[in-house]
Every structure is written in C-alpha cells, then in structure tokens.
Amino acid sequence: METANALLSIGEVAKAVGLRTSAVRYYEEAGLVRPAARVGGQRRYEPPAVDQLRLIGFCQQLGFSLAEIRQLVTPPKGKTAKQRWRELVDDKLVEIETTIAQAKAMKWLLTESRDCDCVSLDSCRFLRHSS
C-alpha cells in the first residue's frame, strides 16, 4: 500500500508539469511516458514521470519532433544514449542553420525591397535576382 501512496494521479502529474491531463494521455499514447499502474481504473505514475514530461517539453522547445524525442527517451540498443543525443543534436543544428540562412535571406530581401518603386513583381530587380 505504501507504493500506491508514492504514485501520482494523472492530474498531479499534469499539474506538476503544467500540462493538461489530455496532453499526458497523448504522450502516453505516443509511447513517451508510461503509467506505473492503474488504481481503481485510474492511471498512476511514478514521480520520475514528471521529469520525463519535463524532458519532453524541453526537447520540443528545442525543435525536436515527437519521433526524435522518442529516440532520445528509448533505452539505447547498441549505441550509447550520448552518441544518439549527439547525432540528433547535429541533425537539428544543420536544420537550424538552414532556417537561419533562409531567414537572413528573407530579411535582406525585405530590407532591400522595402522602398522599391517597382510597378509589378515581374519588374522587381530583387525578386528577379533572388532565385
């Protein structure tokens, strides 16, 4: 019975992480967090589930997809977790660098063409040379 007292309800977990209970259920269905047991038909989670959900939120803030997060939280098979993390981070850094380059190009185009006197898009020198 002592173990049941250590377990958290879905509401307690959601509140601790700042999520709705539906989000906790969603992450459970996605295979990212697992309830420890059911008590009276209700999900019960061990306290580390709170940290797991915080990690998921942190990774989402960094731009990782749920599939990428699933790779991170799945126990390693053959590769160490650190190697897997580095691979995912390296891939994400390339993605971010691409996004930054595109944003810089857009900023330049908007800045340069802001006071453009072109009559149509076809005659705009910035658009003709940007592709």
Side-chain angles (χ1 to χ4, degrees):
M1 195 58 95
E2 192 173 290
T3 304
N5 292 335
L7 297 178
L8 304 169
S9 71
I10 192 169
E12 292 169 324
V13 170
K15 184 177 180 181
V17 184
L19 295 173
R20 294 181 179 188
T21 57
S22 59
V24 176
R25 282 191 293 276
Y26 174 77
Y27 292 130
E28 179 185 330
E29 290 170 11
L32 296 173
V33 68
R34 294 269 179 243
R38 288 198 180 255
V39 176
Q42 296 179 341
R43 293 169 173 87
R44 296 287 186 229
Y45 297 86
E46 293 180 353
V50 171
D51 293 331
Q52 185 94 5
L53 288 164
R54 285 187 180 133
L55 174 64
I56 292 166
F58 175 70
C59 289
Q60 285 181 312
Q61 288 176 347
L62 294 176
F64 287 96
S65 69
L66 288 182
E68 292 167 330
I69 295 168
R70 189 176 298 105
Q71 287 182 313
L72 286 173
V73 300
T74 302
K77 293 179 183 174
K79 290 185 178 182
T80 67
K82 190 170 192 172
Q83 287 172 321
R84 187 179 341 173
W85 173 254
R86 285 182 176 168
E87 290 169 7
L88 288 171
V89 168
D90 288 345
D91 290 346
K92 191 57 63 179
L93 286 171
V94 169
E95 184 181 318
I96 289 170
E97 287 298 326
T98 300
T99 301
I100 289 170
Q102 291 170 339
K104 284 181 177 180
M106 179 58 78
K107 179 183 177 186
W108 177 86
L109 180 62
L110 291 172
T111 301
E112 293 297 317
S113 66
R114 184 177 64 137
D115 297 322
C116 184
D117 293 325
C118 297
V119 178
S120 71
L121 293 177
D122 293 335
S123 65
C124 180
R125 71 181 176 93
F126 295 108
L127 293 177
R128 282 198 319 255
H129 297 292
S130 67
S131 45

